[in-house]
Amino acid sequence: MNLENKSFSGLSERAQKYMKSLKQNKDWTCDKETIEKYFQTKKFPLHDRFIDFQMNFSGYTLRIKREEKEGDGRRRFDLLLFSKKNIIQNNYIDYFQTENDIWLYCGQHGVAPFSFCMNQKGEIATSDGDEIIKVIYSSVEKFIEQYAINSELKYT
């Protein structure tokens, strides 16, 4: 899967440019057919937001460019859903449910003492394990937009 096939259509031009400046770890992405088959094998619901995240965003590390150049990667964020290894080995899908939502762990921050997860609506939240602490972004696109703006402001 090459970058030209990535769907960054929900992002602003600034954020699309930002994403195109990053490299994706190919061990953390797959095509639609593969992720759908994995979900079906696990009898996991086929929610578009999970599939889109895996195909288009999983495997990217968001960072503020100037901070990275200065050796400070504390604000970097790894967008990670399922590794190819987990899919190939047909490993368990680590998720939890709240009253109205299904939550998957979706990444890690350089220094945050909690986990990050997303629900089937695409909302990004912090979690201390099985309990949602707080929804912090309405979508992964909003999360990426913030990194794109901060990176541009710190870089200029």
Side-chain angles (χ1 to χ4, degrees), residues 101 103 117 119 121-127 132-139:
D101 297 306
W103 295 91
C117 50
N119 64 14
K121 296 177 274 191
E123 296 171 322
I124 305 290
T126 56
S127 169
I132 297 303
I133 297 171
K134 182 180 180 184
V135 173
I136 55 174
Y137 293 98
S138 60
S139 68

Side-chain angles (χ1 to χ4, degrees), residues 30-45:
C30 65
D31 59 45
K32 185 175 183 175
E33 181 179 314
T34 301
I35 191 66
E36 285 180 347
K37 183 177 178 185
Y38 178 55
F39 282 0
Q40 290 168 343
T41 300
K42 294 299 187 185
K43 297 183 178 16
F44 190 80

Side-chain angles (χ1 to χ4, degrees), residues 6 25 29 41 45 57 65 72 84 92 98 107 110 133 137:
K6 293 290 173 197
N25 180 339
T29 190
T41 300
F57 303 112
K65 290 181 183 176
D72 182 3
K84 281 185 181 176
Y92 171 76
T98 56
I133 297 171
Y137 293 98

